[in-house]
Amino acid sequence: MLSPSNIHVPDRCRTVTEILSRVGDKWTVQVVMRLGGGPKRFNELRRMVEGVSQRMLTLTLRGLERDGLVTRTVFPTIPPRVDYALTGLGCSLLKTVRELGEWAIENREEILEARRRFDEGESSPASDAA
Amino acid sequence: MLSPSNIHVPDRCRTVTEILSRVGDKWTVQVVMRLGGGPKRFNELRRMVEGVSQRMLTLTLRGLERDGLVTRTVFPTIPPRVDYALTGLGCSLLKTVRELGEWAIENREEILEARRRFDEGESSPASDAA
DNA sequence: CGGAATCCTATAGGATACTG
DNA sequence: CAGTATCCTATAGGATTCCG
C-alpha cells in the first residue's frame, strides 16, 4: 500500500518530521517507556522519570493523550487518583521507539569514539597538515 | 548480549535520550534521509531540505559528522566543493529512522483524528456531563 | 494527589552580512 | 560555493506558588 520509502513525498516528510518532533522532545520517549511497564499514576511517573518537572510531565502527558497514545483515567476519590496508560497506538509507538533505543545502545560506543576523535581534530587542526 | 529492553538501566536511558535528542532535532532526520539517496553537496542539500537555514544546515551536518554519521569531503577546487555522505553508521541510523517514519505514516490519520476529538472535547467540556 | 498559573532563563533557530 | 559571525526572537522548559 505504501510506496517505497526512498521516494520523496513532501506530505510524508512533514508527517514524519511532525511526529518525530513529538517523539524527540525531552520527555515523551521516557514517559512512553515507563508506561510500557503498565499504567502509572502521575506522581509515580514523576518519580520514575527523574528530572522531569511537574509542569513538563503534565504537558508531555497532555500531548500524548491528545495524540491518542495514552489514556487518562480519573478516579474521583480523595485524594484524587489519575492513571495513565498506553493505548494500542501508544504500544506500537513504544515498540518502534524501543528499536531506535536498541540502535542507540548498540552504537553508543562507536558514536562516543567518533565524537572524541572529532573533538581532538578540532582542537589541533594543524597536526595532520604537517 | 543485551539484556531485555524492559528492564530499567539508568545509563541506557541516558544514552537513548541523548541520541534521540539528536535525532529529534528539527533537521537531522531530514538531512539523513536526503543523504540516503547518495552523497550530496552543501547547497544541494540546502535546496532539498527546504526550509532549513544555511546556519542550521551547517550545524546539523557538523553534529552528524561529529557523531560519525556522515563524512565531509572537501574538494579544494574553485569554487570549492564539499560532499556529504552517510557512513555505515549513518546508514544503519537511516534504516531505523525510516521505520519510525513508516510508523508515523501508517498512523498519521489515527493520530490526527485523536487530536481532533481531543480538541473538540476541550472546547466544550460540559457536553458529556449532561 | 494532581494539577494550573505565573515567572524567568536558556537555548534553538531564523535573517542578514561578510569571507576565502 | 560553502561556509563563519553576529544579532535577534521565539520557544522550551525549570522553579515556585496556588488550588480542588
Side-chain angles (χ1 to χ4, degrees), chain A residues 32-33 35-36 86 89-99:
Chain A
V32 168
M33 290 195 136
L35 286 179
L86 291 179
L89 194 58
C91 285
S92 73
L93 173 62
L94 173 63
K95 192 164 161 293
T96 308
V97 159
R98 266 185 180 155
E99 283 170 26

Side-chain angles (χ1 to χ4, degrees), chain B residues 6-27:
Chain B
N6 54 350
I7 71 165
H8 179 213
V9 183
D11 185 46
R12 293 191 171 181
C13 284
R14 258 175 269 116
T15 301
V16 173
T17 300
E18 186 190 352
I19 302 289
L20 278 178
S21 68
R22 282 207 40 56
V23 167
D25 78 10
K26 201 170 176 182
W27 304 110

Side-chain angles (χ1 to χ4, degrees), chain A residues 57-127:
Chain A
L57 182 55
T58 300
L59 290 180
T60 300
L61 287 168
R62 277 274 183 282
L64 289 170
E65 187 193 359
R66 187 170 109 101
D67 287 356
L69 298 166
V70 311
T71 56
R72 177 174 181 272
T73 311
V74 181
F75 300 88
T77 57
I78 295 180
R81 166 190 181 138
V82 180
D83 274 17
Y84 291 91
L86 291 179
T87 62
L89 194 58
C91 285
S92 73
L93 173 62
L94 173 63
K95 192 164 161 293
T96 308
V97 159
R98 266 185 180 155
E99 283 170 26
L100 192 50
E102 300 290 348
W103 181 91
I105 291 166
E106 281 168 30
N107 297 282
R108 178 171 188 263
E109 275 311 321
E110 193 169 346
I111 291 177
L112 291 179
E113 201 195 310
R115 217 171 266 189
R116 277 192 294 271
R117 274 198 309 271
F118 184 89
D119 293 346
E120 254 176 41
E122 292 296 275
S123 55
S124 56
S127 58

Side-chain angles (χ1 to χ4, degrees), chain B residues 41 43 54 58 62 72 84:
Chain B
R41 300 180 58 169
N43 278 334
Q54 170 265 21
T58 299
R62 278 272 184 283
R72 176 174 181 272
Y84 292 91

